[in-house]
Structures are given as structure tokens and as C-alpha cells.
Amino acid sequence: MTEPSTRVRRWSRPMPLRDHTEPHRASTPLELLFDLCFVVSAAILADELAHAVSAGHGLDGAIRYSLLFVPVWWTWMLFSWFGSAFDNDDVTYRLLTLVQMLGALGIAASMPSAFHGNYVPLTLTYAAARIPLVLLWTRGARHHPAERTFAMRYAKGIAGTTVLWVALLAVPLPIRYVGFVVVILLELFVPQWAVKGGNRQAFHLGHITERYGLFTLIVLGESILAATMAIEGSFEHGVTLPLLLIGIAVLVSAFAVWWLYFDFVDGRALMSSNRVAFLWGYGHLLVFAAIGAMGAGAQVAVKAYETHEFGLGAQLAMGLPAAVCVAAMAWIRSLSIGASLFLTAVRMASAVLIVLGAVLAGPGGPAATAGVVALVMVVHAAAETVWRGLRITP
């Protein structure tokens, strides 16, 4: 019997466009290894956001967190969509993926300095993580002439925006922020421009849906870590009930997000049209960033209990990310054909209730606030489950 690894020992094999109807198309072990690089980025960003909120700089911290989450998410997304279109797992592909992984770890390592205004390390590592993608898309164009326009548009777009990112380092700071927004918009336009040059569907529905689900689990890991730290702190202080309750509530909230996402967010919208597919994919930025911020909110709750300082900023840090997550999932689900407007409105109302609950429960302390947020999310998940059981939901 031939060894499983025999087929990948060649340095280079043809890289045709993969069949988007291929059965049982799951994430590869290499893709799963690549995903692990982003666990660190999510954890570091959540830590920085938590420190900013605890120091009384919640708004500034939230803005920085939101902006810095973009290159993390975009690096992951570009790799995932390429892997759904072209992937032959030969030695060259593996080594170029390794270089992207090094760039991803560099992005994670540069996050603390970027959070405090030094964008040079982040820009350079971000650029380094993108160079292999340019080579991979060029390689795909060479090996699949029928989709050369599609692949080369991706290669040119990524290369061009990479040059712009590096060039922004020479722009004075007030203007640089404007340039930052402009380049992000150009980044978002590149895939749409590339797809218009394609002749057929260049992604696998099941594979892409699974990839997004896996990244959801990655960012949920930050909440699990925060819950563990809260419970650990409770044990260190002789089983402190408030900390224990915070840990349990954070875990329950994360579990509710998992329940809602994997039961009610699907990939049907991807098949509607290219425009809807892009809205579906880009809309996940809000879901991912909000879930990561939920982990930061959990850290804020623990810190507030220890310092006995729990103001409106800390309350919003605990409630707002969960609300944004629920609202973003509701919007993504609404993109599916036949989605219920009533259910979308109810889901949005649930997001509002989470924020109101966090604020109104504030006088009871961080444990009460965490508990109310978890309660609203559990009731929401339970109601959705019952509704689906009655076969009313689309």
C-alpha cells in the first residue's frame, strides 16, 4: 500500500482550479495549523483592549482594536479563499504557507507596539505575509490558463495594496489614518474585481462555510481562556463566589454564541449572488471582532472585581461586544433567501436587550452584569431553538 505522504513529496505539481462540487471537501491539516497562528493575535488584541478599558480609555481602545483586527482577519481570509480555489499540497505550496505563517506570527508579535502607535513592525510583517500569496496566485494563473484573468487580478491587487501599505509609513500620522481607510477599501474591492474576471465559481461552499466556522471557534477560545482565568482566580482566593459566577457566565455566553452561530448561521447566502456572497464574507468581520472583544470584556469584569472599580465603560465592554455579535449574526442570516424579517427584527431586539441589561445590572457589580448578559443570550438561543423545532424558521 502506498504511503499517504507519497503524493506530496514532489516539489511542484499542477495547480488547477479545484472542483467546487467536490464531495467531502474539508479543511486540510495544513489549514488547521495555519489557523493556530491567529489564536495568538486574537489573545493579544483582547488583552490590549481590556487594559485600555480598565485604564479608562475604552473608546480609544475600541477604535484601535477594531482597526488592528482588520489585518488579522484579512490575512486569514485571503489564505482561506485561495485554499478553496487552488490547493495541491505539494512542497512548494507548503513552504509558501509556512512563510505566511511566519508573517502571521509577526503580525501577532507586533500588535502591542501597534496598539500604542508604532505601526512599522506590523506593516512590514503584514507585507511579508502577503508576498507568498502573490506568488501562489501567479502560480495558479500559470497552471490554469482558463482562469488566468481571475488569478492575476488577485495577484496584482494584493501586490498593489501591499506597496500602498508600506508607502503609508512615510505619510504623516493625521493623513495616514485617512490613507489607512482608503487602502482597506481597496483591499475589500480586490476580490470583487478578481471574481468578475473568472469564468466559473472559484470556491467550495462546504469548505468555505467550515473555514469560517473554525475561525469562529478560534476567537471563542479567548472567552474560554478568560472564563478559565476567572475560575482560577476564584480558587486562589478560596472559592470567591463573584469570580466563580463571572467565569460561569462568560463560559455560558460563549456557549450561547457557539449555539447560535452553528445552528443558525449557514452558507446558503453564498449561492445567491456574488454581491450577497461578499456581504456574507465581509459581515463576518463584525462577528469575529465582537467575539474576540467578548473575551476582553470578561477580562475587564475580573479586573473590575479585583479593583472594585466598575463604571459605565466596563459595563459596555461586557455587553456591547455580545450585542454586536448577535446583531451581526442576525444580519448575515438575513442575507439567505427566504429569511424571515420578523426573526431578524427579534434578533436585533435581543442585541439591544443585551446592552440595556449590561447597563441596568451595573450597580450589582461585574458578576451581576456578566450574569444578565449570559441570561439574555441563553434565552435568545433557547427561543431560536424552540422556533426552529416548530419549523417556523426558514
Side-chain angles (χ1 to χ4, degrees):
M1 184 173 65
T2 305
E3 295 181 10
S5 60
T6 301
R7 64 183 181 85
V8 299
R9 289 179 179 170
R10 294 178 57 184
W11 277 96
S12 179
R13 298 191 306 127
M15 184 179 278
L17 199 67
R18 293 192 68 142
D19 181 7
H20 67 267
T21 63
E22 175 185 356
H24 311 298
R25 172 73 169 103
S27 296
T28 66
L30 182 59
E31 287 176 315
L32 299 178
L33 181 63
F34 181 83
D35 288 351
L36 291 178
C37 297
F38 295 87
V39 175
V40 185
S41 296
I44 292 176
L45 276 175
D47 286 343
E48 293 293 341
L49 176 58
H51 292 321
V53 173
S54 297
H57 306 296
L59 179 59
D60 180 65
I63 294 173
R64 291 177 183 271
Y65 171 86
S66 301
L67 291 176
L68 291 176
F69 199 92
V70 172
V72 174
W73 161 72
W74 195 247
T75 300
W76 173 86
M77 202 171 86
L78 286 177
F79 173 81
S80 296
W81 283 88
F82 175 86
S84 196
F86 298 97
D87 172 16
N88 64 358
D89 201 30
D90 61 14
V91 174
T92 302
Y93 179 82
R94 290 186 172 191
L95 292 179
L96 288 174
T97 301
L98 173 61
V99 177
Q100 291 180 75
M101 291 170 63
L102 290 171
L105 290 179
I107 291 172
S110 64
M111 280 299 164
S113 60
F115 210 92
H116 295 90
N118 181 11
Y119 300 106
V120 175
L122 172 61
T123 301
L124 295 180
T125 52
Y126 184 47
R130 296 155 64 86
I131 294 173
L133 266 175
V134 175
L135 298 177
L136 285 170
W137 279 112
T138 303
R139 190 176 179 218
R142 186 175 70 252
H143 289 185
H144 195 81
E147 295 296 337
R148 177 178 175 81
T149 300
F150 160 70
M152 286 306 299
R153 283 187 177 184
Y154 252 119
K156 294 174 182 177
I158 295 173
T161 49
T162 299
V163 172
L164 291 177
W165 281 120
V166 176
L168 279 179
L169 293 176
V171 178
L173 269 181
I175 304 176
R176 187 188 302 174
Y177 293 129
V178 177
F180 185 88
V181 174
V182 171
V183 179
I184 286 179
L185 293 176
L186 289 174
E187 290 264 32
L188 298 179
F189 174 74
V190 168
Q192 301 177 58
W193 175 56
V195 166
K196 289 180 180 179
N199 296 315
R200 67 183 180 92
Q201 183 175 311
F203 68 89
H204 189 286
L205 175 62
H207 176 251
I208 283 297
T209 303
E210 182 190 32
R211 296 294 295 136
Y212 276 75
L214 289 171
F215 201 83
T216 300
L217 293 177
I218 287 175
V219 287
L220 274 175
E222 180 56 28
S223 289
I224 303 298
L225 176 60
T228 304
M229 293 174 61
I231 295 173
E232 179 189 9
S234 171
F235 291 164
E236 288 179 352
H237 292 84
V239 188
T240 306
L241 184 59
L243 276 179
L244 186 61
L245 291 176
I246 290 172
I248 295 173
V250 170
L251 177 59
V252 170
S253 295
F255 191 80
V257 169
W258 168 83
W259 192 301
L260 290 168
Y261 184 89
F262 287 97
D263 269 11
F264 305 111
V265 176
D266 55 38
R268 287 182 296 168
L270 288 168
M271 306 306 295
S272 299
S273 66
N274 283 338
R275 184 188 68 83
V276 174
F278 280 113
L279 290 175
W280 186 94
Y282 292 168
H284 272 75
L285 171 60
L286 292 174
V287 176
F288 297 152
I291 294 176
M294 286 176 64
Q299 294 182 48
V300 169
V302 174
K303 184 70 173 178
Y305 171 77
E306 295 173 345
T307 61
H308 304 289
E309 297 179 1
F310 190 59
L312 180 61
Q315 296 165 34
L316 291 176
M318 297 176 64
L320 196 56
V324 172
C325 179
V326 170
M329 287 192 292
W331 179 66
I332 291 172
R333 180 59 184 265
S334 73
L335 297 172
S336 297
I337 297 176
S340 167
L341 180 61
F342 170 74
L343 277 181
T344 301
V346 170
R347 291 160 181 160
M348 293 296 183
S350 178
V352 174
L353 285 176
I354 291 173
V355 178
L356 290 176
V359 174
L360 294 176
T369 303
V372 169
V373 170
L375 177 62
V376 176
M377 296 192 70
V378 166
V379 171
H380 181 166
E384 289 263 8
T385 302
V386 172
W387 189 281
R388 181 167 180 165
L390 295 175
R391 299 184 180 277
I392 297 176
T393 185

